[in-house]
Amino acid sequence: MPFPGGLWWLVCCRQGFTLLRRDYGEPDKEPDGEAEEESSFELRSKGAQGPLQLSLTQPVRTSSGSERSLPVSEEMRSLITEKGPGPGPVEEDPDAIVKGWLQREARGGVKGPWIRPRKYWFVLTQDSLDYYSGSEVGARRLGTLVLTSLCSVQWPDKQTYKETGYWSVTVFGRKHCYRLYTEHLNEAVHWVCAVQKVIHSKAPVQTPTQLLMHDIEENRGSPEILEQIYRCNPVLRYTSSPLYAPLLPFPYGSSDQSAPGPHGYMTLRDEAVKLFNSLQQLESERDPVPLIQGVLQTCLDLQPLVDEIYCQLVKQTTEPPAPGGPGNLRYWQLLTCMSCTFLPSPPVLRYLRFHLGRTEREFPGSEMAEYGRFIAAALDKTQVRECVPSLDEIVVLIQRQDMLCTVHCPGTSACTVAISSHTTAEEVARELVARLGLSQSPNVFALYEQSRHHERPVGRATLVADVLTRFENLAGEETTQDSTWRLCFKHYGFLDTENVPRDSVEFTLLFEQAHEMVIRGYVPTSEDTLQSLAALRLQSLNSDFSTHAPVPRPEELFPVHALHSRLRASCQGPPRCPGARLCAGLLAGALPWGHSLAKQQAEQDQKLRGRLREEGASVMAAIVDRWKLLQGMGRAEAMAAYLALVREWPGFGSTLFDVDFHTSPEGSCPQRLWLGVGAKAVSLYKPGEAEPFDSFCYGRISSFGVSDSSTFHLSVGDRDLLFECSRVDEIAQLLHTYLTSLGTRQTPPREELADGCRPGDSLDSGLPPPQQRLCPASAPWRGQPSAGSFPI
């Protein structure tokens, strides 16, 4: 009697699944469905086998007879200790390390505290964790979890205990995990420690890819053997099928499965397989740049995956079906971006360099060979990146070109500098110093990250590509109000401001930076002087007065804080009753009085804005009147007059930092001050006052340094001064730079200065001159002690 059609379909599907499982080398499950074995294509114990057989295969859906995996029974002899046929005695097992009753959750997981797990007898041996139906002799073994060096165990946590009333122990294996429960914490800890000790005692395991990499390294001089290795091992060659296991070993599970990984990542093994799928999508992607950046970002977040992606890319660029085709070149483009972002481990790096040389020998003059030479050169210069390449950087990398970087210079047009992924801020600054003719200047220059309200110097070793990526990320954040960032080249330290030629570019830079200090309120002077400075600024911008000349906004000519001070002085009324604020607060919580007070506050704010506009108009009128008096003054003359007025403040040339000053480590209330770091001394100012109330020349300073992320300490004789500031690193770097120049002027050859010291480190008492007791910075430009230095 013929079978119904549906039954035939079921029989055929079941037979097909069985054949597929055998092709993969997966072991048939035991009747209870809990046995775990290691597939031949995945792992081998290091040192547990003879010479590598050239028959290891990539786990693909189709396989020929010559590429079939090793028999599972042969593989298991090196991984699992045979326990004999059938269930063995439990109580008399001499290999047992720990044994006892534990509860295991039902399939599907514990759904709630009312569902009790089932209790089994667990036995831990040196090779596996087994569980049985009972503790008596002859009990049936229900499951086995093979323990290798890649297994992991999760410690019990209080949250699970609060939810279920049990302490949970989770042991992760290759195919599944055991979630075990006990009511006693000490018992859970005992099992965790025992399982972890067994895992640590296991020999490291290696994947076929690692073993073949070692064979390739040993047979580099034998072309015949190398060709045989590549021909007999599809794991090394391109595949269009998905990857079912990583090419490199990763631990099973994770250290904390209850908490999601960074950015929602899964385990490393799962992410490695997902990344291979992303790599295969590159072949047909119309715009590969976002996908490339996504792969790079995953590698940056999960650093152990860097070697895995390199191995996957080498595999997909080895013997592809269409060498040099669009799909094949996508892999080379991603490999190019990887080489400019991450350095692989030494074994993978040697394997990668061998692959690049092999490709160039097989396809000389091809696009693949060009990518290979570019990648080899990049690997020699790649440093640790803070950010993945920006979209613009990826576009130029896949074209093997340099990137154009725009650097703004105050008072002059912006400069365009060609950079690579390895160009540092020091290299850009050197080029700008040479291009702008500043090589003979004694002053110090640097690159700055600059926005409308913030500014910070860029370290000399910082990669400019990372800075540009940060700018791109900040621009993409909608919540960021201050998202327009740019690179700026300007003075970092003022060693000589008197002898700058008026017709030089540096004089323009000095003028522009002095104007920035005035606008930010860091040049304490009278309102009359500020109006004169604003008029000179207009004269330098527009020459003589004209009704058609463009006039900048008031806040670009006159410091806003001075305008507010003028408004407060004009609006100051009789003192208010001490209890008025308390009464207002009490009334604000009641209705309708609260609504009335809010309305009154809004009206006052509107009135204040109106008065501010009136005062601004009054100040601008006074500035324009002074501007008219400068008829006939040239631009250079106006700039010189501007700088002459600013130099009347004795602190000109110092960099001011807003700090909270502690008179002692146990000081109760810090004092808000300006800390001025100059070329000859460190001074303390009260905000807005022109004269410092204390000053320390560098000969009196015995040590300085950064205590933590916001505390800077300065030792002067027997005094220890503590300052709190968000820019403590910048203070230390600036002091270090001035001390370097001080040591340069007092020590004839630059090469005799101490190298390798960090800001804040003090030297031993072996140096007799007191001013050299602080560690000078290593020479940025050896042989040119007076030519534009750079911050450390």
Side-chain angles (χ1 to χ4, degrees):
M1 178 179 179
F3 290 105
L7 186 57
W8 273 112
W9 177 85
L10 178 61
V11 172
C12 292
C13 286
R14 181 171 182 177
Q15 182 68 17
F17 292 151
T18 303
L19 291 175
L20 284 177
R21 183 174 67 248
R22 289 174 181 170
D23 280 355
Y24 282 113
E26 292 184 6
D28 295 331
K29 292 185 179 179
E30 293 183 2
D32 54 25
E34 287 293 342
E36 179 181 1
E37 297 176 345
E38 298 291 341
S39 297
S40 63
F41 62 80
E42 188 167 341
L43 297 176
R44 285 175 174 266
S45 296
K46 186 177 182 180
Q49 60 179 7
L52 177 67
Q53 301 296 323
L54 301 179
S55 57
L56 300 172
T57 64
Q58 171 69 14
V60 293
R61 288 290 183 188
T62 59
S63 62
S64 62
S66 62
E67 297 176 356
R68 192 172 298 277
S69 303
L70 291 175
V72 176
S73 59
E74 296 181 9
E75 181 76 10
M76 297 309 298
R77 291 194 185 98
S78 64
L79 293 177
I80 302 176
T81 303
E82 298 293 340
K83 298 181 179 296
V90 177
E91 291 290 350
E92 299 178 0
D93 189 353
D95 298 329
I97 299 175
V98 180
K99 51 189 175 181
W101 290 100
L102 290 173
Q103 300 182 71
R104 185 185 179 195
E105 69 178 8
R107 291 183 178 273
V110 177
K111 304 302 181 183
W114 58 86
I115 300 180
R116 296 181 61 84
R118 298 180 61 184
K119 184 176 290 187
Y120 300 96
W121 181 258
F122 280 83
V123 177
L124 174 65
T125 67
Q126 193 63 33
D127 295 312
S128 62
L129 178 63
D130 309 323
Y131 70 98
Y132 299 81
S133 58
S135 60
E136 67 277 1
V137 176
R140 189 165 64 97
R141 187 172 75 244
L142 301 177
T144 296
L145 191 148
V146 179
L147 295 177
T148 67
S149 62
L150 298 182
C151 294
S152 62
V153 58
Q154 180 179 328
W155 282 75
D157 62 283
K158 291 183 178 180
Q159 185 63 31
T160 303
Y161 179 75
K162 292 179 181 179
E163 295 176 354
T164 64
Y166 295 96
W167 296 100
S168 172
V169 175
T170 306
V171 184
F172 297 96
R174 187 178 70 86
K175 289 186 177 180
H176 56 268
C177 65
Y178 285 174
R179 290 185 173 87
L180 313 177
Y181 298 89
T182 177
E183 297 178 353
H184 307 288
L185 176 60
N186 57 348
E187 186 177 9
V189 172
H190 181 67
W191 276 96
V192 168
C193 293
V195 174
Q196 191 67 65
K197 186 176 181 180
V198 171
I199 294 173
H200 288 166
S201 67
K202 307 301 289 185
V205 292
Q206 289 186 317
T207 62
T209 300
Q210 289 178 300
L211 297 172
L212 291 169
M213 286 167 53
H214 180 69
D215 278 8
I216 291 173
E217 179 70 20
E218 289 185 343
N219 297 279
R220 296 173 69 97
S222 303
E224 297 82 5
I225 298 179
L226 289 176
E227 291 305 318
Q228 185 182 7
I229 291 176
Y230 278 99
R231 183 175 62 256
C232 297
N233 292 277
V235 71
L236 298 175
R237 305 196 303 265
Y238 171 91
T239 178
S240 59
S241 303
L243 198 67
Y244 297 97
L247 300 179
L248 301 178
F250 292 105
Y252 306 132
S254 64
S255 59
D256 187 5
Q257 290 289 325
S258 61
H263 308 289
Y265 290 120
M266 299 187 297
T267 63
L268 292 175
R269 297 176 60 83
D270 294 333
E271 290 297 332
V273 174
K274 286 177 58 179
L275 280 175
F276 189 79
N277 296 334
S278 299
L279 264 57
Q280 291 180 316
Q281 293 178 18
L282 277 176
E283 297 185 40
S284 57
E285 197 74 18
R286 294 187 59 184
D287 182 12
V289 175
L291 185 55
I292 290 176
Q293 191 180 50
V295 172
L296 297 176
Q297 186 63 54
T298 302
C299 292
L300 183 66
D301 296 335
L302 304 176
Q303 290 288 331
L305 291 179
V306 171
D307 281 355
E308 173 72 18
I309 299 303
Y310 269 115
C311 290
Q312 291 182 6
L313 288 172
V314 171
K315 170 185 172 60
Q316 292 301 94
T317 52
T318 300
E319 301 182 14
N328 175 244
L329 292 182
R330 291 288 173 83
Y331 291 116
W332 285 101
Q333 292 166 1
L334 176 55
L335 192 56
T336 300
C337 296
M338 285 286 296
S339 67
C340 294
T341 312
F342 307 105
L343 268 180
S345 63
V348 177
L349 180 59
R350 291 192 296 269
Y351 177 50
L352 173 61
R353 289 190 181 278
F354 171 79
H355 171 67
L356 299 177
R358 182 172 182 264
T359 302
E360 187 172 357
R361 290 191 298 271
E362 291 185 355
F363 305 97
S366 65
E367 194 77 2
M368 297 181 295
E370 294 296 331
Y371 274 112
R373 284 191 287 270
F374 185 90
I375 293 168
L379 291 171
D380 294 332
K381 298 179 288 185
T382 297
Q383 304 177 24
V384 178
R385 293 288 296 263
E386 298 178 6
C387 309
V388 300
S390 63
L391 297 177
D392 293 338
E393 183 181 355
I394 293 175
V395 170
V396 298
L397 280 178
I398 63 180
Q399 299 173 358
R400 305 190 304 274
Q401 297 178 353
D402 286 338
M403 182 168 43
L404 296 181
C405 172
T406 301
V407 182
H408 298 267
C409 302
T412 62
S413 58
C415 299
T416 302
V417 181
I419 65 170
S420 68
S421 301
H422 322 286
T423 304
T424 63
E426 178 183 7
E427 293 172 342
V428 174
R430 285 177 182 271
E431 180 172 346
L432 291 176
V433 164
R435 188 183 298 183
L436 299 177
L438 304 175
S439 300
Q440 301 304 317
S441 172
N443 294 313
V444 185
F445 301 90
L447 291 182
Y448 281 78
E449 299 179 30
Q450 191 179 72
S451 67
R452 182 177 179 183
H453 301 292
H454 298 87
E455 183 180 83
R456 54 177 176 263
V458 181
R460 62 187 299 176
T462 302
L463 297 178
V464 180
D466 280 340
V467 178
L468 299 180
T469 301
R470 285 201 299 270
F471 292 171
E472 182 181 274
N473 296 337
L474 290 172
E477 297 178 2
E478 297 180 358
T479 57
T480 305
Q481 298 179 357
D482 198 14
S483 59
T484 304
W485 288 81
R486 66 179 189 176
L487 276 175
C488 184
F489 175 79
K490 53 191 296 187
H491 283 86
Y492 179 77
F494 301 93
L495 300 176
D496 183 5
T497 62
E498 299 290 340
N499 301 314
V500 179
R502 291 189 181 185
D503 57 346
S504 65
V505 174
E506 185 179 5
F507 189 81
T508 302
L509 297 178
L510 187 64
F511 166 72
E512 293 291 339
Q513 201 150 343
H515 179 64
E516 284 185 9
M517 295 173 62
V518 171
I519 296 300
R520 294 182 180 182
Y522 284 145
V523 178
T525 185
S526 63
E527 182 180 339
D528 184 71
T529 303
L530 292 175
Q531 291 182 4
S532 298
L533 290 172
L536 289 170
R537 174 68 175 179
L538 285 174
Q539 185 69 17
S540 67
L541 292 176
N542 301 320
S543 188
D544 294 340
F545 169 78
S546 172
T547 55
H548 302 290
V551 178
R553 295 177 298 175
E555 59 267 23
E556 297 178 3
L557 294 172
F558 194 82
V560 177
H561 78 93
L563 195 61
H564 288 173
S565 300
R566 178 176 181 175
L567 182 61
R568 284 194 300 269
S570 63
C571 296
Q572 188 175 8
R576 299 178 60 185
C577 175
R581 180 175 300 178
L582 176 62
C583 295
L586 293 175
L587 292 176
L591 290 176
W593 301 106
H595 177 71
S596 177
L597 289 176
K599 183 178 179 181
Q600 182 179 0
Q601 182 65 34
E603 293 176 352
Q604 290 179 354
D605 292 342
Q606 185 176 2
K607 185 181 299 184
L608 181 63
R609 286 193 294 268
R611 289 297 307 274
L612 192 62
R613 286 193 295 269
E614 293 176 1
E615 292 295 331
S618 175
V619 170
M620 282 301 300
I623 292 174
V624 171
D625 289 341
R626 292 172 182 263
W627 181 21
K628 295 177 181 178
L629 300 177
L630 301 177
Q631 186 80 15
M633 179 179 289
R635 181 173 184 270
E637 189 180 356
M639 293 167 59
Y642 190 105
L643 283 174
L645 284 177
V646 175
R647 285 196 185 99
E648 292 180 358
W649 176 50
F652 175 70
S654 300
T655 304
L656 299 182
F657 300 90
D658 293 306
V659 298
D660 291 326
F661 172 56
H662 295 266
T663 55
S664 65
E666 297 81 14
S668 56
C669 183
Q671 184 180 4
R672 194 68 170 177
L673 297 175
W674 283 346
L675 177 67
V677 182
K680 298 179 180 179
V682 177
S683 304
L684 294 176
Y685 298 85
K686 292 183 178 180
E689 294 188 1
E691 297 293 333
F693 70 86
D694 208 346
S695 184
F696 318 104
C697 65
Y698 289 125
R700 296 174 54 195
I701 299 176
S702 57
S703 67
F704 69 92
V706 177
S707 301
D708 52 47
S709 60
S710 61
T711 304
F712 178 81
H713 70 83
L714 188 69
S715 296
V716 182
D718 57 351
R719 298 174 59 186
D720 288 330
L721 310 179
L722 293 178
F723 306 95
E724 288 187 359
C725 178
S726 60
R727 302 163 63 188
V728 290
D729 290 333
E730 187 178 343
I731 296 174
Q733 291 171 357
L734 191 58
L735 273 170
H736 199 189
T737 300
Y738 281 133
L739 288 167
T740 301
S741 64
L742 184 64
T744 299
R745 293 194 298 268
Q746 295 176 354
T747 306
R750 177 67 69 101
E751 286 75 5
E752 294 180 4
L753 300 179
D755 290 339
C757 300
R758 301 172 63 89
D761 294 342
S762 59
L763 296 178
D764 296 332
S765 56
L767 291 178
Q771 58 266 35
Q772 291 188 6
R773 293 192 59 192
L774 294 177
C775 175
S778 58
W781 288 7
R782 296 192 179 276
Q784 296 183 16
S786 63
S789 307
F790 299 94
I792 303 301

